[in-house]
Amino acid sequence: MALDAEMSNASALLYPVKATKEFFRRIHSTFDHKFLRYLVLCHISFTGFFRLAMDLTLLPMAETALKISAAELQRVSTVIMFPGVLKPTFAIISDMKPLFGYHKRPYLLFGGFLGLFAGVRLSTGKFEGNEAEVDFVVAVMCVYFTVVIFDCLVDGKRAEEMHKNPASGSDLIAYSMVMIVSGQLAALLFGYYALQQEEYQWLYYCFIPLSLIAIVCTLMGELPEKKVNYKWQLKAIRVKVTSNQFMLAGLLMCMGICLVYLQTIEVTSVEVLNTSLILNVVLGLCIVALCKVLLPRFAGNVIVYAFCERLLSIKFQHAVNYWYTLPQNCVPDGPNFDYVYFNITNGFIALIFSGFGIWFFQEAFSSGRLRSVFWWSSGTRCIGSICDLLVVSRINLKWGIPDQVAYAVGNSCLEAMVFMLSVMPFAILIAKLVVAGTETTLISILSAASALGTLMASSLGALAIEYAGIQTNVEDPNQQCDWSNLQSLIFICGVLCPLLCVPLTLLLIPNILVTSNFEMDNYSGEVIAVVNEDGTREEVVYADDFKKGGAGNKNRKNNNLFDTGISNSDYEDDDD
């Protein structure tokens, strides 16, 4: 009996190792190896390293080089997120207009060269004087454009592969997340040196070799792609779902431009502040209406939820970050964290718990119902802000909890897990809703809606900081710091607002299994039926008009959305 118990304990200890080996075996036996190599390159280099490197250096650059206020930094963050809004526009262009016979390869090359330019500019630039802020923002936007281009095209290919292999469930999403975390880990290792030595621009030199590697791999054809003979694929927009996506992409881009323009308005009075708030609300309502009108019902609901979830997580964090990191002369008896602890140490902790979040999702939710995952993640999005509230009110010290521990538990441990549990089900659900040939576009529309939600949350956060009257001495050393309304700001924007998303889960998220798949109408993009893993089929009631000879039935000739006069002979196998 004792021997059996010891063997059982040893087996339990080895289970994570065995499960990990089995996970990677499933991935590599299911998906093309060239595609997986390029996926690793994209997510480690761009989605992981590039993005986190910018996050690590933005706060110290703002406080020491640019010398801008918390509200101004929040507006800068809003502007540099704008490239994410352009994802669907870029995706549609790449789907409709192949260059040199390829839909993806030339655009990926452009992204690689753009990343190379951004790396050179950021690493060698002298960001001083009146034009420093604009110069820095333009260079950072080039970084985000690079990330968007690679994310857009590679994630579209990922959705296509997932659609071909529905039984793989969340495996490929989890694999992507592991690669992103690996890239973030590399960024933290290099960022430690940069922040320790206060050589923040040194980190940007790393962008140069990564961009060069991406350019070479793209030229070698590492991302599998078929060569085409046609110059334009305009006939595709005759299909309702594609033409609507085309219109929505353009309108979302216009909404993003309006939001960025609002950040240029200088807040000089309460009237200007109120007007900006009203304009933000109007733009938000317009975005929701456009998604509901121009997208199929299921896809529209999911994308509206993605927008609302990001929107309700109002981004006021730069005010809290300033409170955590500014010295005693501005925050008396405050934590006064240094950049190495604040960004690097907590970054490592967050990565560990992000990995745990991926594992937890695979173990607890990979075969459950998606709605329960969304409900759980939405209900816990306020955990980080609750811990912030405890630290700012100094309750943590009364309980004997040091500032470092309280911050790490809330913002690095729990929030990192919750974030992973909110990202993964979105990617799985939208991959089930794509119609053949529109993978890149629909994934990009989801990303654009999420980016617009984040953009608007950041815009509202800047206004909330102004309303709260938060003042720092970063711009003017003689200015008196004012944190009197910071607790109210955290409670309203960080705790109450995210909880408003919980009832939306019941209204907008379908209650399906993670392993289920959708049967789609190829003309309208509507869901006709839910196909479960065991092969059982549950019909969707509102789709009856398509089965009875409605518009969908008249227009669908076979199961290929792009049945638009383009024959198989238009494709040539590419063996590069």
Side-chain angles (χ1 to χ4, degrees):
M1 292 293 291
L3 181 61
D4 290 342
E6 289 179 6
M7 291 178 65
S8 177
N9 291 335
S11 178
L13 290 173
L14 290 174
Y15 174 74
V17 177
K18 292 180 179 179
T20 302
K21 289 175 66 176
E22 174 62 21
F23 168 72
F24 281 101
R25 187 200 63 77
R26 288 198 311 269
I27 289 288
H28 288 277
S29 63
T30 305
F31 300 101
D32 180 76
H33 285 195
K34 288 181 70 176
F35 162 69
L36 290 177
R37 283 199 300 267
Y38 204 87
L39 187 74
V40 169
L41 169 68
C42 170
H43 287 321
I44 286 181
S45 299
F46 300 106
T47 316
F49 190 94
F50 273 42
R51 195 186 292 273
L52 185 59
M54 292 310 312
D55 290 344
L56 291 176
T57 54
L58 186 60
L59 180 64
M61 287 290 288
E63 290 184 357
T64 61
L66 302 177
K67 297 188 182 300
I68 55 178
S69 67
E72 185 65 22
L73 178 56
Q74 198 68 59
R75 282 190 282 270
V76 166
S77 298
T78 306
V79 173
I80 63 178
M81 286 187 287
F82 173 68
V85 179
L86 299 180
K87 255 191 176 182
T89 304
F90 180 78
I92 288 175
I93 292 172
S94 66
D95 281 344
M96 290 176 56
K97 175 57 180 173
L99 297 176
F100 308 106
Y102 295 100
H103 282 282
K104 292 181 172 64
R105 194 173 301 178
Y107 297 99
L108 289 168
L109 281 174
F110 172 74
F113 281 110
L114 191 62
L116 184 62
F117 163 78
V120 172
R121 185 72 192 93
L122 285 168
S123 58
T124 60
K126 300 294 182 182
F127 300 106
E128 299 173 353
N130 295 331
E131 301 300 322
E133 184 179 339
V134 175
D135 193 11
F136 180 75
V137 168
V138 170
V140 173
M141 284 184 72
C142 288
V143 173
Y144 280 91
F145 267 117
T146 301
V147 174
V148 163
I149 290 169
F150 277 87
D151 263 359
C152 170
L153 297 178
V154 177
D155 285 358
K157 183 69 176 178
R158 184 185 68 186
E160 179 185 333
E161 294 294 325
M162 288 178 63
H163 203 61
K164 291 177 183 176
N165 301 277
S168 65
S170 60
D171 281 354
L172 198 55
I173 300 296
Y175 186 79
S176 293
M177 293 300 172
V178 169
M179 295 305 113
I180 291 171
V181 169
S182 300
Q184 291 173 337
L185 178 61
L188 287 171
L189 292 172
F190 285 94
Y192 173 80
Y193 174 83
L195 270 62
Q196 183 75 30
Q197 302 298 319
E198 298 185 0
E199 296 287 344
Y200 311 127
Q201 289 178 262
W202 179 87
L203 191 57
Y204 304 140
Y205 280 104
C206 300
F207 294 179
I208 298 174
L210 291 175
S211 298
L212 288 172
I213 293 170
I215 291 169
V216 171
C217 291
T218 303
L219 287 171
M220 292 174 62
E222 283 294 294
L223 185 69
E225 184 178 10
K226 290 183 176 181
K227 192 173 183 179
V228 298
N229 288 330
Y230 53 82
K231 295 182 178 179
W232 286 92
Q233 192 163 281
L234 293 176
K235 293 182 181 180
I237 63 173
R238 294 179 183 175
V239 184
K240 180 183 177 183
V241 64
T242 312
S243 58
N244 281 1
Q245 288 175 355
F246 185 81
M247 287 189 289
L248 181 60
L251 292 169
L252 289 180
M253 180 180 67
C254 294
M255 296 293 172
I257 292 171
C258 292
L259 275 172
V260 170
Y261 173 74
L262 287 178
Q263 308 316 305
T264 65
I265 300 175
E266 186 177 355
V267 178
T268 56
S269 64
V270 176
E271 289 74 18
V272 175
L273 203 58
N274 292 337
T275 303
S276 297
L277 177 62
I278 292 170
L279 290 174
N280 274 273
V281 172
V282 170
L283 285 174
L285 293 174
C286 290
I287 292 167
V288 170
L290 288 172
C291 291
K292 292 290 289 182
V293 170
L294 293 176
L295 288 174
R297 267 171 276 194
F298 266 48
N301 285 346
V302 172
I303 289 173
V304 166
Y305 181 85
F307 171 76
C308 292
E309 190 211 30
R310 294 290 190 271
L311 170 63
L312 292 171
S313 299
I314 295 177
K315 302 293 181 184
F316 60 95
Q317 197 61 36
H318 287 304
V320 182
N321 291 349
Y322 272 38
W323 186 85
Y324 277 123
T325 57
L326 287 176
Q328 287 282 343
N329 63 358
C330 188
V331 189
D333 301 319
N336 312 124
F337 294 149
D338 60 81
Y339 297 135
V340 173
Y341 168 78
F342 190 70
N343 284 331
I344 304 301
T345 304
N346 283 286
F348 275 115
I349 297 171
L351 283 188
I352 293 169
F353 279 85
S354 294
F356 184 74
I358 296 170
W359 175 84
F360 184 68
F361 179 88
Q362 286 292 100
E363 292 296 315
F365 297 114
S366 61
S367 58
R369 293 194 174 271
L370 278 170
R371 184 181 288 173
S372 63
V373 187
F374 281 102
W375 183 89
W376 194 90
S377 64
S378 298
T380 53
R381 286 299 292 268
C382 60
I383 284 178
S385 292
I386 291 174
C387 291
D388 286 335
L389 195 59
L390 293 176
V391 177
V392 172
S393 62
R394 313 314 280 155
I395 292 176
N396 64 301
L397 296 181
K398 295 177 183 177
W399 292 351
I401 303 173
D403 291 333
Q404 289 86 346
V405 174
Y407 180 82
V409 169
N411 290 274
S412 301
C413 301
L414 299 177
E415 195 166 278
M417 283 184 58
V418 170
F419 178 75
M420 281 298 173
L421 291 177
S422 66
V423 168
M424 292 182 67
F426 269 124
I428 294 167
L429 184 53
I430 209 68
K432 298 177 185 297
L433 288 166
V434 297
V435 180
T438 65
E439 294 89 357
T440 301
T441 303
L442 194 57
I443 290 289
S444 299
I445 286 176
L446 172 66
S447 297
S450 298
L452 269 174
T454 305
L455 205 78
M456 188 165 290
S458 184
S459 178
L460 291 173
L463 296 177
I465 293 171
E466 297 281 4
Y467 271 115
I470 304 297
Q471 298 288 337
T472 67
N473 60 3
V474 172
E475 292 178 291
D476 181 4
N478 297 319
Q479 182 171 285
Q480 186 70 28
C481 295
D482 186 356
W483 306 101
S484 56
N485 291 322
L486 184 59
Q487 292 183 41
S488 300
L489 179 67
I490 295 171
F491 181 72
I492 295 171
C493 297
V495 178
L496 292 183
C497 287
L499 291 176
L500 296 176
C501 206
V502 175
L504 293 180
T505 306
L506 302 175
L507 297 174
L508 299 174
I509 300 299
N511 193 28
I512 64 164
L513 293 170
V514 174
T515 53
S516 298
N517 206 14
F518 290 129
E519 182 181 328
M520 311 292 292
D521 178 83
N522 287 337
Y523 171 74
S524 67
E526 294 285 6
V527 175
I528 296 174
V530 177
V531 182
N532 296 316
E533 189 178 15
D534 59 3
T536 57
R537 189 172 177 277
E538 301 174 18
E539 295 187 356
V540 178
V541 175
Y542 70 70
D544 282 348
D545 57 332
F546 296 108
K547 295 178 291 178
K548 295 177 181 178
N553 224 19
K554 293 176 184 176
N555 288 279
R556 55 186 166 146
K557 300 176 182 178
N558 54 38
N559 289 329
N560 181 8
L561 174 63
F562 290 93
D563 182 26
T564 56
I566 300 170
S567 66
N568 291 333
S569 61
D570 289 322
Y571 289 89
E572 299 171 0
D573 288 336
D574 178 36
D575 299 325
D576 290 345

